[in-house]
Amino acid sequence: MNQRCTGTGGLPVSIRACRRQWGVWMLALASAPLCAWAQQAASALSPASAEISTLPAVTVTATRAQTATKTDAPLIETPQAISVVTGAQMETQAIQNINQALRYTSGVVAETRGGSATREDFQYIRGFGPFGTNYLDGMKQPYASFGFFQNEPYFIDRIEILKGPSSVLYGQNSPGGLINLISKRPTTEPQHEIFVNGGSFGRVEAGADLSGPIDADGKLSYRLTAVGLTGATYVDHTRSERAAVAPALTWRPDANTTLTLYAQYLHDPRSGHFGYVPAQGTFLDNPNGRISRSFFDGEPGFNHDSKTQAAIGYELDHRYDSGWRLQQSLRYAHLDSDLAMVYGTGLASDLRTLNRAAFTDRDTIGALTFDNRLERAFDTGPLRHSVLFGVDYQHTDADARWLFGAAPGIDAFSPVYGQPVAAPAVPLLDQAQRLSQTGLYLQDQIRLDRWVLLAGLRHDWADNDTHNRSTDTSTTVRDTATTGRLGLLYQFDSGFAPYINYSTSFLPTTGTNWKGDPFKPTTGEQWEAGVKYQPGNAHGFVTASVFNLVQDNVQTLDPDPAHGPFAQAQSGRARARGIELEGHADLNRNLSVIANYTYLDNKVVRSNGPDLGKQPVSVPRNTASLWLDYRFHDSELPGVVGLNAGVRYIGASYADVANTERVPGFTVADAGVSYTKGSYRLALNVANVFDRRAVICSNGYNACNYIQPRTITASLRYLW
């Protein structure tokens, strides 16, 4: 159920101890100087901008999404569970990466590497993942080894999370679902913003988002978004640095045609920390005391982690007079990743000395993705059809080289750095891989009065050619798969819409059995039923769903000892059953609310290993969250004061596949205050207000991570 890249689970992280402060009073104390600062800024405004702002409440409710049907269908008419994180929500919560943006979303566990690992976007959806779930503008973002495309949150307009098997429109995919990030695009109306943030651990960030028409007729419009940041992390000897820019140009030659050209460049000279801390001394007792959150398990002169990625592409939308609509999306992306680390492998018998190893990895990825689809609406008697026919293509060239070596141990409680580390020389992986997939899909949304039937069918051809340079051998795997989806929904006048659906997925796997035969793709199959509710004013949206999800062809130990101790067979099965409750509501111009609860009963129901009947690693059975945002439009101040607060509960999970190592659950609180006056917005956000010290383990008790400690972010935005 946990699809893990070989090697990614065995490299460790650590974290920095902040002094315990009176978190319960901190927000109240901090808000006083903030309001004073806001009043000074307000007095400097021009008369035109000095009018009292009448901004509405933060919009947390979305009513439409592209991801589920590729047709921008209303959520209330889509018979499948979908969550949407709006751009306003991300801004209000002052998120610093995509993982943090998903904290208040049902069915998603997004920070399984704690708060220090910021070099990747890893998410579990309904207990499955964390690889193969990330999409940008409807097209998959590939990964290879430790090379992961990342997304700058300031470039994102919203995030759409589609729950359950989704291969019918997207091809090979994790059975838990997918996370589709929708980029900002040029606007026909002028809008401009600049911002600066500052906060804990010396983090400083600045950016600009400029958009609007270029010519008087509005046929050409542009958008230029840029951001830069630098700062330390809460782990000693580590930093996060980024420079990124995303230009886009839209041409509208007539009312029926839109062509958008875009590019993106992102460079991370330093990507935070990517190690682990052991359990003894974090949440388990250790006679030597507690390991500091700031403890760095690497060597400052050896560890480094940098990434450079770029993309260019276009989006075409044309409506023909015949009623057909053509949409095309094409993107080419390239990634270079350079990772070197000394990392902890577990405590010695004295429970003080941390054993370590050294590792280097170089990854390059070149990826071309293309999606071409035709859509048309027509009637056949009382039936209203919306038919979608598409063909998509993905091609990825990936190159990876891992080297492993020894490294000296270090005192985890009183570290002394500067020990010599020999360059790793043992090759663990040295390969070039070429992946391609071609898919044909057909979908029909049929409406009859208040009934909505959604039916889809797809066939894929997937190829995987791998050349192992260490052994000078090549392997080729050819897979085909047919997947589908069938959903039915009924809309009542009251705003309720019960639904049921069935969907399937496939995901190619690597490796061979004892005879050398390539493994088949894993397959996913889900039944889901639920009810959606949208009031007449469309200022709220609630979804309740139950589901039963099964993944087959999962690799497990070969039961025949004659085939060798490491032989694998594809006789495993993983199952997820659960309940998801999620609600978003903009109750009035003052108050917005987000609430969700998830119960997951995930088990390995067929296996020849110790995971039989066990819960998957890092996936809690229960999660819940609540977020409130309130704005005082009628206060005595000449502007709008906003207060927000949230609480997140992450239940207990397991650190190992045999479920012998239980990691306690925890609750975290977030809060913020803002002041909006004219074109200015000042804000102060605090994540983990009470500085909760908790740990997540993802690959045994030697591979744990602290969650993000109390983190303060102050921001100033100017819009015109």
Side-chain angles (χ1 to χ4, degrees), residues 456-694:
L457 192 66
R458 178 188 178 100
H459 189 77
D460 279 284
W461 297 263
D463 298 340
N464 183 340
D465 298 313
T466 303
H467 178 67
N468 187 326
R469 286 187 290 260
S470 298
T471 59
D472 195 23
T473 58
S474 297
T475 59
T476 299
V477 178
R478 303 282 186 262
D479 292 316
T480 63
T482 300
T483 52
R485 174 174 60 179
L486 186 64
L488 183 65
L489 177 145
Y490 185 84
Q491 289 184 268
F492 288 95
D493 288 336
S494 59
F496 286 93
Y499 71 91
I500 187 171
N501 79 46
Y502 171 79
S503 59
T504 62
S505 67
F506 85 105
L507 184 65
T509 60
T510 59
T512 62
N513 62 18
W514 70 277
K515 293 185 294 184
D517 297 331
F519 285 130
K520 301 176 182 178
T522 63
T523 60
E525 180 181 62
Q526 176 184 268
W527 284 96
E528 175 182 299
V531 59
K532 301 184 178 186
Y533 173 70
Q534 180 178 313
N537 59 16
H539 292 162
F541 200 91
V542 179
T543 302
S545 61
V546 295
F547 56 88
N548 185 80
L549 173 58
V550 174
Q551 184 183 34
D552 281 315
N553 293 340
V554 178
Q555 295 179 31
T556 182
L557 295 175
D558 191 317
D560 190 341
H563 296 161
F566 303 109
Q568 297 277 302
Q570 271 194 300
S571 57
R573 168 179 284 187
R575 185 262 290 158
R577 293 174 179 165
I579 301 172
E580 291 174 355
L581 307 174
E582 182 169 317
H584 295 243
D586 301 300
L587 298 178
N588 51 45
R589 67 195 293 259
N590 298 94
L591 180 62
S592 296
V593 180
I594 303 171
N596 75 74
Y597 168 73
T598 303
Y599 171 78
L600 276 177
D601 179 17
N602 286 39
K603 286 184 180 179
V604 177
V605 295
R606 190 187 298 158
S607 174
N608 301 319
D611 57 347
L612 178 63
K614 305 301 182 181
Q615 188 175 329
V617 173
S618 302
V619 178
R621 191 176 292 268
N622 293 279
T623 58
S625 65
L626 174 66
W627 175 266
L628 302 173
D629 184 273
Y630 191 88
R631 292 191 174 187
F632 297 88
H633 288 272
D634 301 321
S635 66
E636 296 181 359
L637 290 172
V640 178
V641 176
L643 295 176
N644 53 67
V647 59
R648 299 174 272 129
Y649 171 71
I650 308 296
S653 60
Y654 289 96
D656 66 322
V657 296
N659 287 187
T660 61
E661 303 171 345
R662 188 174 185 271
V663 183
F666 55 90
T667 301
V668 177
D670 306 313
V673 60
S674 65
Y675 181 81
T676 303
K677 178 69 173 70
S679 298
Y680 292 87
R681 183 177 184 271
L682 306 169
L684 179 72
N685 288 81
V686 185
N688 193 357
V689 172
F690 301 103
D691 203 23
R692 181 76 164 86
R693 187 187 297 261

Side-chain angles (χ1 to χ4, degrees), residues 447-461:
R447 294 170 176 82
L448 173 62
D449 191 24
R450 300 180 183 278
W451 291 96
V452 180
L453 177 69
L454 179 62
L457 192 66
R458 178 188 178 100
H459 189 77
D460 279 284
W461 297 263

